[in-house]
Amino acid sequence: MIRQTKQRQAILEAVEGSHDHPTAAQVYDRVRRVLPGVGFATVYRNLGTLAEGGMIREIRVGEVTQYDRRTDRHDHAVCRRCGKLVDVMVPLPIEVLQAALEQSGFQVAGHHTEVFGLCSECR
Amino acid sequence: MIRQTKQRQAILEAVEGSHDHPTAAQVYDRVRRVLPGVGFATVYRNLGTLAEGGMIREIRVGEVTQYDRRTDRHDHAVCRRCGKLVDVMVPLPIEVLQAALEQSGFQVAGHHTEVFGLCSECR
DNA sequence: ATATATGCAAATAGTTTGCAAGGAG
DNA sequence: CTCCTTGCAAACTATTTGCATATAT
């Protein structure tokens, strides 16, 4: 059974309280302010656990892994200059994907679109 | 100036001759059959150089980096079970992305959609 | 009580870098 | 002949794992 610990709770709160999309290292830093003795292994382990449990979402964009408090399906736009990640919902009906993959026999379960370009500050 | 070496040529041929999407380690293995003495640093360096030069394309999907002989814009479907990568073209007009990102002031330069599900063999 | 979770340190995977020797132009 | 490229080994980064101890249930 999944236990409630102060570390796990603090890690979840660190992600849920973020309006950006923190990396594991950033979550570690934020949690350390509340629980100075926390180990980074605990943070990594719990980010994985929480993502598996569907409480947070793990997004890999480019070479970095980031965590998102939003668990509903949505897409992301990445700034090529500063790396900033912006949430966006790209309207893409599943039928369009199914049609595109029809001949390959691929069964579509989900999708994620990454848009790249320049954010408002960098353009 | 970018020089023509037998290593670089073999690395390019290894990717261009692939119908799958090899990882750096797979390219290394393939090149070693032709040039047994090649170092993995040479492979990594050249995959980067070739990708920068637009001769091949680097794709990061999930936790693995793979190389694609196709340099034209297209999308990918990843099998959740076996990890197989299938090329696919998802019809997504740039105007749709621009409209979705209008309010954030993000300037769209490109996009890539990752579809996940099960390939024909795994479903 | 008992099994899960933590903190630490060491291990691992994938990739990058420094450097002397080699080879392309 | 110059300077880019190679091969080797060491360095590095991000993440994972082993293990004894602590703690939630």
Side-chain angles (χ1 to χ4, degrees):
Chain A
M1 197 232 325
I2 180 150
R3 290 178 182 179
Q4 178 87 339
T5 65
K6 57 183 187 302
Q7 290 87 342
R8 181 164 293 154
Q9 208 164 311
I11 290 161
L12 178 56
E13 279 165 16
V15 178
E16 286 186 338
S18 300
H19 273 233
D20 54 345
H21 301 80
T23 61
Q26 289 171 326
V27 173
Y28 174 57
D29 284 342
R30 289 170 201 189
V31 171
R32 254 196 319 182
R33 288 181 208 147
V34 180
L35 297 170
V38 76
F40 56 84
T42 301
V43 173
Y44 276 104
R45 270 188 291 237
N46 278 308
L47 286 172
T49 306
L50 293 168
E52 267 180 54
M55 336 269 298
I56 60 173
R57 178 168 160 197
E58 187 176 289
I59 41 182
R60 272 192 179 90
V61 98
E63 42 249 73
V64 273
T65 301
Q66 288 165 269
Y67 294 87
D68 196 328
R69 68 188 191 291
R70 280 184 59 184
T71 55
D72 61 313
R73 206 215 75 68
H74 64 280
D75 307 282
H76 295 95
V78 209
C79 180
R80 271 182 165 159
R81 196 161 150 275
C82 72
K84 185 180 161 187
L85 213 60
V86 177
D87 287 329
V88 59
M89 175 60 99
V90 176
L92 187 53
I94 191 114
E95 299 83 42
V96 170
L97 298 173
Q98 284 168 338
L101 283 157
E102 196 172 48
Q103 57 201 339
S104 67
F106 195 95
Q107 185 174 55
V108 179
H111 61 99
H112 178 239
T113 298
E114 184 181 330
V115 183
F116 29 91
L118 292 174
C119 74
S120 49
E121 288 100 62
C122 292
R123 59 189 294 186
Chain B
M1 197 232 324
I2 180 149
R3 289 179 184 178
Q4 177 89 341
T5 65
K6 58 182 186 302
Q7 290 87 342
R8 181 164 293 154
Q9 208 165 311
I11 291 161
L12 179 56
E13 279 165 17
V15 178
E16 286 186 337
S18 300
H19 273 232
D20 54 345
H21 300 81
T23 60
Q26 289 171 326
V27 172
Y28 175 57
D29 285 342
R30 289 170 201 188
V31 171
R32 254 197 317 183
R33 289 181 208 146
V34 180
L35 297 170
V38 77
F40 56 84
T42 301
V43 173
Y44 276 104
R45 269 188 291 236
N46 279 308
L47 285 172
T49 306
L50 293 167
E52 267 180 56
M55 335 271 296
I56 60 175
R57 179 167 159 197
E58 188 176 288
I59 40 183
R60 265 177 238 273
V61 99
E63 43 249 73
V64 274
T65 301
Q66 287 165 273
Y67 294 88
D68 196 328
R69 68 186 190 293
R70 280 184 58 184
T71 54
D72 62 312
R73 206 214 74 71
H74 64 280
D75 306 283
H76 295 96
V78 209
C79 180
R80 271 182 166 159
R81 194 159 151 275
C82 71
K84 185 180 161 187
L85 212 60
V86 176
D87 286 329
V88 59
M89 175 59 99
V90 176
L92 186 54
I94 191 116
E95 299 83 43
V96 171
L97 298 174
Q98 284 168 337
L101 282 158
E102 196 171 49
Q103 58 201 338
S104 67
F106 195 95
Q107 184 175 55
V108 178
H111 61 99
H112 177 240
T113 298
E114 184 181 330
V115 184
F116 28 93
L118 292 173
C119 74
S120 48
E121 288 98 63
C122 292
R123 58 188 297 184

